[in-house]
Amino acid sequence: MNAWIYEKRRLLLGVAAVILFFLVWEVIFSGLVKLNPLFMSKPSLIWSGFMYDLKSGKVLFELMVSVRPFLFGFIAAVVVGIVVGTFMGWRQKVGYALDPLMTALYASPLVAVAPLVIIIFGVGVPGKTFLIFVLSVFPFIFNTYAGVKAVDQLLVNVVRSMGGNDKDIYFKVIVPSVLPYIIAGGRYAIGRALVGILVGEFYAASAGIGYMIAFYGDMYAIDRMFAYILIMMVIAVAFTEGIRWAERAAFPWRVGM
Amino acid sequence: MSSYISAENINLTFRPKNREAVTALSEFNIDIEQGQFVSIVGPSGCGKSTFLNVLLGLIPPNTGVMSVNGRTVTGPGTDRAMVFQEFGLLPWRTVAHNVELGLELQGVAKGPRRETCQGFIKMVGLTGFENHYPHELSGGMKQRVGLARALASDPDVLLMDEPFAALDAQTRDIMQAELLRIWHEAKKTVLFVTHQIEEAVYLSDHVIVMTKRPGRTKKLVPIDLPRPRDYEMRVSPRFNELKLEIWNELKDELSVGGDEDSGHA
């Protein structure tokens, strides 16, 4: 038993801290401080608000509204990011030309142009898709770029010296060396894509998780607002941890990831 | 000429963009008989590694003819295989899959491929490590994989580019003995590039001493020590005479050069 606790101490301590956080939150507003439900909420109220919307099917509906633009935008970011990053890595001139521009765009607060995006692309799926795409494409570009540049020339020579052709070099050396970089980029991109969906739905939408956060906030239904924020949080953690787990399963040769 | 590996008047000059041209090999000649173990020693940057890459078919010479068993080298071929100094193992492949690489590229089916490679994994003493990844192995074990991989495609010529340079001294001694054992077993012609005179004398039938860059053959020293060789031989008078002979040839080449090793492709 003690050995088991020791082995799992990382997970256990992490979970314990989360539980403690909610516990302290609950205790503070259950007598220590008077709770004004217009400005604050506490976990028990949030939970009942969440259960109410869950039972009515509202949570699932809003989720489905947000999922579509999320998938479209994210898949577009994966494809475009890999293609652009590969070109930047392969062709030195393309890399030199695009690096400063891409770095500037990556670092700039693109969220600020959200109203403009909505005006151009309209309310609904296209605008949200574009916003998510713009926010999540850069980690893919830069990680693919770094991955292609980091391909070990020695391994290319090894395959070539054993009679491998360009296709062999591509599939047996380049793809397996770049893939872990791309997946790692995906971890950052997920977080940014979730911000994209929130902001997109804040500015112009009539449904979706982000819209519901804004809507319940405007209605002073702070317990529901927090419920949707927590849904978002759980999704973010699930995705990030899911990718981390997939990385370990798919790339066992990567040391200390 | 009936020599097995022959280099005739090889000239090779690298002309990197916007940088000074470097002549790596100049009027380079070599003749090696089949089944011999030949080492090449020379100062850093003299073109030893470059020559191996020419022989491997990765770098075409500007002029001159490189041939193996009467056939002119025009590119990589399965009759030659290289063991690299930095191992060159694919990190995402297990030991077994790394050893199988050559046969896989030749299109050999999975079953026979696995079977063949199992034998070579055993030959280099790595049975039980088939499913390990390179990062789980020590330097010596990694180079055993490199050796098994080169042998697995059954080449006639084994090229070794300072294969033990990255290993510690004791592992190096063990690997030298292992290499001799495997060489007796596999009966390959070996071309072995090294910086270490002692290593060259211990392993070889002939030692080629190269001049400083641009590299030419300076002297061919026959090693008349009996085989099989053992560790005690390294302290015999004859062994030390040969070492001294090679050192005397080499030392004149070291005084001026000594710049960075730019021989790698």
Side-chain angles (χ1 to χ4, degrees), chain A residues 87-147:
Chain A
F87 267 108
M88 286 173 71
W90 264 352
R91 297 267 167 264
Q92 199 183 48
K93 279 178 191 159
V94 178
Y96 286 168
L98 293 184
D99 197 347
L101 181 66
M102 294 296 163
T103 307
L105 287 174
Y106 190 15
S108 66
L110 288 168
V111 168
V113 299
L116 201 62
V117 170
I118 303 293
I119 289 169
I120 295 168
F121 289 91
V123 181
V125 176
K128 285 195 260 180
T129 301
F130 185 77
L131 205 57
I132 290 159
F133 165 76
V134 163
L135 281 168
S136 58
V137 74
F138 293 105
F140 287 112
I141 291 178
F142 279 103
N143 274 41
T144 310
Y145 181 34

Short mmCIF file of all heavy atoms in Angstrom, two decimals, chain A residues 87-147:
data_model
loop_
_atom_site.label_atom_id
_atom_site.label_comp_id
_atom_site.label_asym_id
_atom_site.label_seq_id
_atom_site.Cartn_x
_atom_site.Cartn_y
_atom_site.Cartn_z
N PHE A 87 7.84 23.49 -45.49
CA PHE A 87 8.50 24.32 -46.50
C PHE A 87 9.56 25.22 -45.87
O PHE A 87 10.65 25.38 -46.40
CB PHE A 87 7.47 25.17 -47.26
CG PHE A 87 6.99 24.52 -48.50
CD1 PHE A 87 5.71 24.00 -48.58
CD2 PHE A 87 7.84 24.39 -49.60
CE1 PHE A 87 5.27 23.36 -49.72
CE2 PHE A 87 7.41 23.75 -50.75
CZ PHE A 87 6.12 23.23 -50.81
N MET A 88 9.23 25.78 -44.70
CA MET A 88 10.19 26.64 -44.02
C MET A 88 11.45 25.87 -43.63
O MET A 88 12.56 26.39 -43.67
CB MET A 88 9.55 27.28 -42.78
CG MET A 88 8.55 28.37 -43.11
SD MET A 88 7.66 28.96 -41.66
CE MET A 88 8.95 29.85 -40.79
N GLY A 89 11.27 24.62 -43.25
CA GLY A 89 12.41 23.81 -42.84
C GLY A 89 13.23 23.31 -44.03
O GLY A 89 14.45 23.21 -43.95
N TRP A 90 12.54 22.99 -45.11
CA TRP A 90 13.22 22.40 -46.27
C TRP A 90 13.94 23.43 -47.10
O TRP A 90 15.05 23.26 -47.54
CB TRP A 90 12.21 21.65 -47.14
CG TRP A 90 12.16 20.20 -46.85
CD1 TRP A 90 13.01 19.51 -46.04
CD2 TRP A 90 11.23 19.26 -47.37
NE1 TRP A 90 12.66 18.19 -46.01
CE2 TRP A 90 11.58 18.01 -46.82
CE3 TRP A 90 10.15 19.34 -48.24
CZ2 TRP A 90 10.86 16.86 -47.12
CZ3 TRP A 90 9.45 18.20 -48.52
CH2 TRP A 90 9.80 16.97 -47.96
N ARG A 91 13.24 24.53 -47.37
CA ARG A 91 13.80 25.58 -48.23
C ARG A 91 14.27 26.71 -47.34
O ARG A 91 13.46 27.44 -46.78
CB ARG A 91 12.73 26.08 -49.21
CG ARG A 91 12.26 25.00 -50.17
CD ARG A 91 13.04 25.01 -51.46
NE ARG A 91 12.79 23.81 -52.23
CZ ARG A 91 13.58 22.73 -52.21
NH1 ARG A 91 14.66 22.72 -51.45
NH2 ARG A 91 13.29 21.67 -52.93
N GLN A 92 15.59 26.85 -47.26
CA GLN A 92 16.17 27.84 -46.37
C GLN A 92 15.62 29.25 -46.63
O GLN A 92 15.31 29.99 -45.71
CB GLN A 92 17.69 27.84 -46.53
CG GLN A 92 18.40 28.47 -45.35
CD GLN A 92 19.90 28.50 -45.58
OE1 GLN A 92 20.38 28.90 -46.64
NE2 GLN A 92 20.64 28.08 -44.58
N LYS A 93 15.45 29.58 -47.93
CA LYS A 93 14.97 30.91 -48.26
C LYS A 93 13.56 31.14 -47.73
O LYS A 93 13.24 32.23 -47.24
CB LYS A 93 15.00 31.12 -49.78
CG LYS A 93 16.39 31.47 -50.28
CD LYS A 93 16.41 31.62 -51.80
CE LYS A 93 17.83 31.71 -52.30
NZ LYS A 93 17.94 31.36 -53.72
N VAL A 94 12.71 30.13 -47.86
CA VAL A 94 11.34 30.25 -47.35
C VAL A 94 11.38 30.45 -45.84
O VAL A 94 10.67 31.28 -45.28
CB VAL A 94 10.51 29.00 -47.72
CG1 VAL A 94 9.10 29.12 -47.16
CG2 VAL A 94 10.46 28.83 -49.23
N GLY A 95 12.26 29.69 -45.18
CA GLY A 95 12.40 29.80 -43.73
C GLY A 95 12.83 31.20 -43.33
O GLY A 95 12.22 31.83 -42.45
N TYR A 96 13.87 31.70 -44.00
CA TYR A 96 14.36 33.05 -43.70
C TYR A 96 13.29 34.10 -43.94
O TYR A 96 13.15 35.06 -43.20
CB TYR A 96 15.60 33.38 -44.56
CG TYR A 96 16.85 32.67 -44.15
CD1 TYR A 96 17.99 32.66 -44.95
CD2 TYR A 96 16.92 32.00 -42.92
CE1 TYR A 96 19.15 32.02 -44.57
CE2 TYR A 96 18.07 31.35 -42.53
CZ TYR A 96 19.19 31.35 -43.36
OH TYR A 96 20.33 30.71 -42.98
N ALA A 97 12.54 33.91 -45.03
CA ALA A 97 11.54 34.90 -45.40
C ALA A 97 10.38 34.93 -44.41
O ALA A 97 9.90 35.99 -44.01
CB ALA A 97 11.03 34.63 -46.82
N LEU A 98 9.91 33.77 -44.01
CA LEU A 98 8.68 33.72 -43.22
C LEU A 98 8.88 33.76 -41.71
O LEU A 98 7.97 34.11 -40.97
CB LEU A 98 7.89 32.45 -43.58
CG LEU A 98 7.32 32.39 -45.00
CD1 LEU A 98 6.48 31.14 -45.19
CD2 LEU A 98 6.48 33.62 -45.30
N ASP A 99 10.09 33.43 -41.26
CA ASP A 99 10.32 33.32 -39.82
C ASP A 99 9.92 34.59 -39.03
O ASP A 99 9.14 34.51 -38.09
CB ASP A 99 11.79 32.93 -39.56
CG ASP A 99 11.99 32.41 -38.16
OD1 ASP A 99 11.08 32.58 -37.33
OD2 ASP A 99 13.05 31.83 -37.87
N PRO A 100 10.43 35.78 -39.43
CA PRO A 100 10.08 36.99 -38.65
C PRO A 100 8.58 37.28 -38.67
O PRO A 100 8.00 37.60 -37.64
CB PRO A 100 10.85 38.10 -39.36
CG PRO A 100 11.84 37.45 -40.23
CD PRO A 100 11.31 36.10 -40.57
N LEU A 101 7.97 37.14 -39.85
CA LEU A 101 6.54 37.42 -39.98
C LEU A 101 5.72 36.49 -39.09
O LEU A 101 4.84 36.92 -38.34
CB LEU A 101 6.14 37.25 -41.45
CG LEU A 101 4.68 37.53 -41.78
CD1 LEU A 101 4.37 39.01 -41.56
CD2 LEU A 101 4.37 37.14 -43.22
N MET A 102 6.05 35.20 -39.17
CA MET A 102 5.30 34.21 -38.39
C MET A 102 5.52 34.42 -36.89
O MET A 102 4.59 34.29 -36.10
CB MET A 102 5.75 32.79 -38.78
CG MET A 102 5.39 32.41 -40.21
SD MET A 102 3.61 32.35 -40.44
CE MET A 102 3.48 32.40 -42.19
N THR A 103 6.76 34.76 -36.52
CA THR A 103 7.05 35.00 -35.11
C THR A 103 6.23 36.18 -34.60
O THR A 103 5.65 36.13 -33.52
CB THR A 103 8.56 35.28 -34.91
OG1 THR A 103 9.29 34.22 -35.50
CG2 THR A 103 8.90 35.40 -33.44
N ALA A 104 6.17 37.24 -35.42
CA ALA A 104 5.41 38.43 -35.03
C ALA A 104 3.93 38.08 -34.86
O ALA A 104 3.29 38.48 -33.87
CB ALA A 104 5.58 39.52 -36.08
N LEU A 105 3.40 37.31 -35.81
CA LEU A 105 1.97 36.95 -35.73
C LEU A 105 1.70 36.04 -34.53
O LEU A 105 0.68 36.17 -33.86
CB LEU A 105 1.55 36.25 -37.02
CG LEU A 105 1.41 37.17 -38.25
CD1 LEU A 105 1.12 36.34 -39.49
CD2 LEU A 105 0.29 38.18 -38.03
N TYR A 106 2.65 35.14 -34.28
CA TYR A 106 2.50 34.20 -33.16
C TYR A 106 2.45 34.96 -31.85
O TYR A 106 1.66 34.67 -30.95
CB TYR A 106 3.68 33.22 -33.18
CG TYR A 106 3.57 32.03 -32.25
CD1 TYR A 106 2.36 31.68 -31.65
CD2 TYR A 106 4.69 31.25 -31.97
CE1 TYR A 106 2.28 30.59 -30.81
CE2 TYR A 106 4.61 30.15 -31.14
CZ TYR A 106 3.40 29.82 -30.56
OH TYR A 106 3.33 28.74 -29.73
N ALA A 107 3.33 35.98 -31.74
CA ALA A 107 3.46 36.70 -30.48
C ALA A 107 2.38 37.77 -30.30
O ALA A 107 2.13 38.21 -29.18
CB ALA A 107 4.85 37.36 -30.41
N SER A 108 1.74 38.19 -31.40
CA SER A 108 0.79 39.29 -31.27
C SER A 108 -0.54 38.79 -30.70
O SER A 108 -0.91 37.65 -30.89
CB SER A 108 0.56 39.92 -32.65
OG SER A 108 -0.08 38.99 -33.48
N PRO A 109 -1.26 39.68 -30.00
CA PRO A 109 -2.55 39.29 -29.41
C PRO A 109 -3.64 39.23 -30.48
O PRO A 109 -4.39 40.17 -30.68
CB PRO A 109 -2.81 40.39 -28.38
CG PRO A 109 -2.04 41.56 -28.87
CD PRO A 109 -0.90 41.07 -29.69
N LEU A 110 -3.67 38.10 -31.19
CA LEU A 110 -4.60 37.95 -32.32
C LEU A 110 -6.05 38.01 -31.86
O LEU A 110 -6.94 38.32 -32.65
CB LEU A 110 -4.33 36.64 -33.05
CG LEU A 110 -3.05 36.60 -33.87
CD1 LEU A 110 -2.74 35.17 -34.30
CD2 LEU A 110 -3.18 37.50 -35.10
N VAL A 111 -6.25 37.71 -30.57
CA VAL A 111 -7.60 37.76 -30.02
C VAL A 111 -8.21 39.14 -30.25
O VAL A 111 -9.41 39.28 -30.47
CB VAL A 111 -7.53 37.43 -28.51
CG1 VAL A 111 -8.85 37.76 -27.84
CG2 VAL A 111 -7.19 35.97 -28.33
N ALA A 112 -7.35 40.17 -30.27
CA ALA A 112 -7.83 41.54 -30.41
C ALA A 112 -8.52 41.78 -31.75
O ALA A 112 -9.33 42.69 -31.87
CB ALA A 112 -6.67 42.51 -30.24
N VAL A 113 -8.18 40.98 -32.76
CA VAL A 113 -8.81 41.20 -34.06
C VAL A 113 -10.10 40.40 -34.23
O VAL A 113 -10.70 40.39 -35.29
CB VAL A 113 -7.86 40.89 -35.24
CG1 VAL A 113 -6.63 41.78 -35.19
CG2 VAL A 113 -7.48 39.42 -35.26
N ALA A 114 -10.52 39.76 -33.14
CA ALA A 114 -11.72 38.92 -33.22
C ALA A 114 -12.93 39.68 -33.78
O ALA A 114 -13.62 39.15 -34.66
CB ALA A 114 -12.04 38.33 -31.84
N PRO A 115 -13.22 40.92 -33.31
CA PRO A 115 -14.40 41.62 -33.87
C PRO A 115 -14.30 41.79 -35.38
O PRO A 115 -15.28 41.62 -36.10
CB PRO A 115 -14.34 42.99 -33.17
CG PRO A 115 -13.55 42.76 -31.93
CD PRO A 115 -12.56 41.70 -32.27
N LEU A 116 -13.06 42.06 -35.85
CA LEU A 116 -12.84 42.22 -37.29
C LEU A 116 -13.15 40.92 -38.04
O LEU A 116 -13.80 40.91 -39.08
CB LEU A 116 -11.39 42.63 -37.51
CG LEU A 116 -11.06 43.32 -38.82
CD1 LEU A 116 -11.82 44.62 -38.95
CD2 LEU A 116 -9.56 43.56 -38.93
N VAL A 117 -12.65 39.81 -37.47
CA VAL A 117 -12.89 38.51 -38.07
C VAL A 117 -14.38 38.24 -38.18
O VAL A 117 -14.88 37.76 -39.20
CB VAL A 117 -12.20 37.40 -37.24
CG1 VAL A 117 -12.65 36.01 -37.71
CG2 VAL A 117 -10.69 37.53 -37.32
N ILE A 118 -15.12 38.59 -37.12
CA ILE A 118 -16.56 38.35 -37.13
C ILE A 118 -17.23 39.21 -38.20
O ILE A 118 -18.13 38.75 -38.92
CB ILE A 118 -17.18 38.68 -35.74
CG1 ILE A 118 -16.49 37.85 -34.65
CG2 ILE A 118 -18.68 38.43 -35.75
CD1 ILE A 118 -16.72 36.38 -34.70
N ILE A 119 -16.77 40.45 -38.34
CA ILE A 119 -17.36 41.33 -39.36
C ILE A 119 -17.11 40.75 -40.76
O ILE A 119 -17.99 40.72 -41.60
CB ILE A 119 -16.75 42.75 -39.27
CG1 ILE A 119 -17.27 43.43 -37.99
CG2 ILE A 119 -17.12 43.59 -40.50
CD1 ILE A 119 -16.55 44.72 -37.65
N ILE A 120 -15.88 40.25 -40.98
CA ILE A 120 -15.54 39.74 -42.31
C ILE A 120 -16.22 38.40 -42.58
O ILE A 120 -16.82 38.20 -43.63
CB ILE A 120 -14.01 39.61 -42.46
CG1 ILE A 120 -13.36 41.00 -42.38
CG2 ILE A 120 -13.65 38.93 -43.78
CD1 ILE A 120 -11.86 40.97 -42.23
N PHE A 121 -16.11 37.49 -41.62
CA PHE A 121 -16.60 36.13 -41.87
C PHE A 121 -18.02 35.88 -41.37
O PHE A 121 -18.59 34.84 -41.62
CB PHE A 121 -15.66 35.11 -41.24
CG PHE A 121 -14.35 35.01 -41.96
CD1 PHE A 121 -13.28 35.79 -41.59
CD2 PHE A 121 -14.19 34.13 -43.02
CE1 PHE A 121 -12.07 35.71 -42.25
CE2 PHE A 121 -13.00 34.04 -43.69
CZ PHE A 121 -11.93 34.84 -43.30
N GLY A 122 -18.54 36.81 -40.62
CA GLY A 122 -19.91 36.66 -40.17
C GLY A 122 -20.03 35.87 -38.88
O GLY A 122 -19.08 35.21 -38.44
N VAL A 123 -21.22 35.94 -38.30
CA VAL A 123 -21.51 35.21 -37.07
C VAL A 123 -21.68 33.74 -37.42
O VAL A 123 -22.15 33.41 -38.49
CB VAL A 123 -22.82 35.76 -36.46
CG1 VAL A 123 -23.13 35.03 -35.16
CG2 VAL A 123 -22.70 37.25 -36.22
N GLY A 124 -21.24 32.88 -36.52
CA GLY A 124 -21.48 31.46 -36.74
C GLY A 124 -20.21 30.70 -37.05
O GLY A 124 -19.10 31.14 -36.73
N VAL A 125 -20.38 29.56 -37.71
CA VAL A 125 -19.26 28.64 -37.91
C VAL A 125 -18.06 29.25 -38.64
O VAL A 125 -16.94 29.11 -38.17
CB VAL A 125 -19.75 27.35 -38.62
CG1 VAL A 125 -18.57 26.43 -38.92
CG2 VAL A 125 -20.77 26.63 -37.75
N PRO A 126 -18.23 29.96 -39.77
CA PRO A 126 -17.04 30.45 -40.50
C PRO A 126 -16.16 31.36 -39.65
O PRO A 126 -14.94 31.18 -39.61
CB PRO A 126 -17.63 31.21 -41.69
CG PRO A 126 -19.00 30.67 -41.84
CD PRO A 126 -19.47 30.30 -40.47
N GLY A 127 -16.74 32.34 -38.98
CA GLY A 127 -15.96 33.27 -38.18
C GLY A 127 -15.22 32.57 -37.06
O GLY A 127 -14.02 32.77 -36.84
N LYS A 128 -15.93 31.69 -36.35
CA LYS A 128 -15.31 30.95 -35.24
C LYS A 128 -14.21 30.04 -35.77
O LYS A 128 -13.12 29.97 -35.20
CB LYS A 128 -16.37 30.11 -34.51
CG LYS A 128 -17.28 30.93 -33.62
CD LYS A 128 -18.03 30.04 -32.67
CE LYS A 128 -19.44 29.79 -33.15
NZ LYS A 128 -20.20 28.93 -32.24
N THR A 129 -14.48 29.37 -36.88
CA THR A 129 -13.49 28.47 -37.47
C THR A 129 -12.22 29.22 -37.79
O THR A 129 -11.12 28.78 -37.45
CB THR A 129 -14.05 27.85 -38.77
OG1 THR A 129 -15.24 27.13 -38.45
CG2 THR A 129 -13.04 26.90 -39.39
N PHE A 130 -12.38 30.41 -38.40
CA PHE A 130 -11.20 31.17 -38.78
C PHE A 130 -10.40 31.61 -37.56
O PHE A 130 -9.17 31.53 -37.54
CB PHE A 130 -11.61 32.39 -39.61
CG PHE A 130 -10.43 33.15 -40.13
CD1 PHE A 130 -9.71 32.68 -41.21
CD2 PHE A 130 -10.01 34.33 -39.51
CE1 PHE A 130 -8.60 33.36 -41.69
CE2 PHE A 130 -8.89 35.01 -39.97
CZ PHE A 130 -8.19 34.53 -41.06
N LEU A 131 -11.13 32.04 -36.55
CA LEU A 131 -10.46 32.51 -35.34
C LEU A 131 -9.66 31.38 -34.69
O LEU A 131 -8.50 31.55 -34.27
CB LEU A 131 -11.51 33.05 -34.36
CG LEU A 131 -11.05 34.09 -33.36
CD1 LEU A 131 -10.43 35.29 -34.05
CD2 LEU A 131 -12.24 34.54 -32.51
N ILE A 132 -10.28 30.22 -34.61
CA ILE A 132 -9.60 29.06 -34.03
C ILE A 132 -8.39 28.68 -34.87
O ILE A 132 -7.31 28.40 -34.35
CB ILE A 132 -10.59 27.87 -33.92
CG1 ILE A 132 -11.62 28.17 -32.84
CG2 ILE A 132 -9.85 26.57 -33.63
CD1 ILE A 132 -12.88 27.37 -32.98
N PHE A 133 -8.56 28.72 -36.18
CA PHE A 133 -7.46 28.39 -37.08
C PHE A 133 -6.28 29.33 -36.86
O PHE A 133 -5.15 28.91 -36.66
CB PHE A 133 -7.95 28.48 -38.53
CG PHE A 133 -6.84 28.51 -39.54
CD1 PHE A 133 -6.14 27.35 -39.85
CD2 PHE A 133 -6.47 29.70 -40.15
CE1 PHE A 133 -5.10 27.38 -40.75
CE2 PHE A 133 -5.43 29.74 -41.06
CZ PHE A 133 -4.74 28.57 -41.36
N VAL A 134 -6.57 30.63 -36.85
CA VAL A 134 -5.51 31.63 -36.73
C VAL A 134 -4.75 31.48 -35.42
O VAL A 134 -3.53 31.62 -35.36
CB VAL A 134 -6.11 33.05 -36.86
CG1 VAL A 134 -5.13 34.09 -36.34
CG2 VAL A 134 -6.45 33.34 -38.31
N LEU A 135 -5.50 31.17 -34.37
CA LEU A 135 -4.83 31.07 -33.07
C LEU A 135 -4.01 29.79 -32.93
O LEU A 135 -2.98 29.77 -32.28
CB LEU A 135 -5.86 31.15 -31.95
CG LEU A 135 -6.33 32.57 -31.63
CD1 LEU A 135 -7.55 32.55 -30.73
CD2 LEU A 135 -5.22 33.39 -30.98
N SER A 136 -4.47 28.69 -33.55
CA SER A 136 -3.80 27.41 -33.27
C SER A 136 -2.83 26.97 -34.36
O SER A 136 -2.14 25.96 -34.21
CB SER A 136 -4.84 26.30 -33.02
OG SER A 136 -5.69 26.18 -34.14
N VAL A 137 -2.73 27.74 -35.46
CA VAL A 137 -1.87 27.28 -36.55
C VAL A 137 -0.38 27.47 -36.22
O VAL A 137 0.47 26.69 -36.64
CB VAL A 137 -2.25 27.97 -37.87
CG1 VAL A 137 -1.80 29.43 -37.89
CG2 VAL A 137 -1.65 27.23 -39.06
N PHE A 138 -0.05 28.50 -35.43
CA PHE A 138 1.36 28.83 -35.24
C PHE A 138 2.18 27.78 -34.48
O PHE A 138 3.31 27.50 -34.87
CB PHE A 138 1.50 30.22 -34.62
CG PHE A 138 1.03 31.29 -35.56
CD1 PHE A 138 -0.20 31.92 -35.36
CD2 PHE A 138 1.77 31.63 -36.66
CE1 PHE A 138 -0.65 32.87 -36.25
CE2 PHE A 138 1.33 32.58 -37.56
CZ PHE A 138 0.10 33.20 -37.36
N PRO A 139 1.64 27.19 -33.43
CA PRO A 139 2.44 26.12 -32.80
C PRO A 139 2.77 25.00 -33.79
O PRO A 139 3.87 24.44 -33.75
CB PRO A 139 1.53 25.61 -31.69
CG PRO A 139 0.63 26.75 -31.38
CD PRO A 139 0.42 27.48 -32.68
N PHE A 140 1.84 24.70 -34.70
CA PHE A 140 2.12 23.65 -35.69
C PHE A 140 3.20 24.10 -36.67
O PHE A 140 4.10 23.34 -37.01
CB PHE A 140 0.85 23.27 -36.45
CG PHE A 140 -0.10 22.46 -35.62
CD1 PHE A 140 -1.32 22.98 -35.22
CD2 PHE A 140 0.24 21.17 -35.20
CE1 PHE A 140 -2.18 22.24 -34.43
CE2 PHE A 140 -0.62 20.43 -34.42
CZ PHE A 140 -1.83 20.97 -34.03
N ILE A 141 3.11 25.36 -37.11
CA ILE A 141 4.12 25.88 -38.04
C ILE A 141 5.50 25.80 -37.41
O ILE A 141 6.44 25.23 -37.96
CB ILE A 141 3.82 27.34 -38.44
CG1 ILE A 141 2.56 27.41 -39.31
CG2 ILE A 141 5.01 27.96 -39.19
CD1 ILE A 141 2.15 28.80 -39.71
N PHE A 142 5.62 26.35 -36.19
CA PHE A 142 6.96 26.46 -35.60
C PHE A 142 7.51 25.11 -35.17
O PHE A 142 8.72 24.86 -35.30
CB PHE A 142 6.94 27.45 -34.44
CG PHE A 142 7.02 28.87 -34.93
CD1 PHE A 142 5.88 29.66 -34.95
CD2 PHE A 142 8.20 29.38 -35.41
CE1 PHE A 142 5.94 30.94 -35.44
CE2 PHE A 142 8.28 30.67 -35.90
CZ PHE A 142 7.14 31.46 -35.92
N ASN A 143 6.67 24.24 -34.69
CA ASN A 143 7.19 22.93 -34.28
C ASN A 143 7.57 22.06 -35.48
O ASN A 143 8.57 21.35 -35.43
CB ASN A 143 6.17 22.21 -33.39
CG ASN A 143 6.33 22.62 -31.95
OD1 ASN A 143 6.56 23.79 -31.66
ND2 ASN A 143 6.25 21.67 -31.05
N THR A 144 6.79 22.15 -36.56
CA THR A 144 7.16 21.40 -37.76
C THR A 144 8.48 21.94 -38.32
O THR A 144 9.38 21.18 -38.69
CB THR A 144 6.06 21.51 -38.84
OG1 THR A 144 4.82 21.20 -38.24
CG2 THR A 144 6.33 20.59 -39.99
N TYR A 145 8.59 23.27 -38.34
CA TYR A 145 9.80 23.95 -38.81
C TYR A 145 11.01 23.45 -38.01
O TYR A 145 12.02 23.01 -38.58
CB TYR A 145 9.59 25.45 -38.62
CG TYR A 145 10.72 26.36 -39.06
CD1 TYR A 145 11.53 26.06 -40.14
CD2 TYR A 145 10.94 27.57 -38.38
CE1 TYR A 145 12.54 26.93 -40.54
CE2 TYR A 145 11.94 28.44 -38.77
CZ TYR A 145 12.75 28.11 -39.84
OH TYR A 145 13.73 28.96 -40.22
N ALA A 146 10.88 23.49 -36.69
CA ALA A 146 11.99 23.04 -35.84
C ALA A 146 12.29 21.56 -36.08
O ALA A 146 13.45 21.16 -36.15
CB ALA A 146 11.66 23.28 -34.37
N GLY A 147 11.24 20.76 -36.23
CA GLY A 147 11.41 19.32 -36.42
C GLY A 147 12.14 18.99 -37.72
O GLY A 147 13.05 18.16 -37.74
#
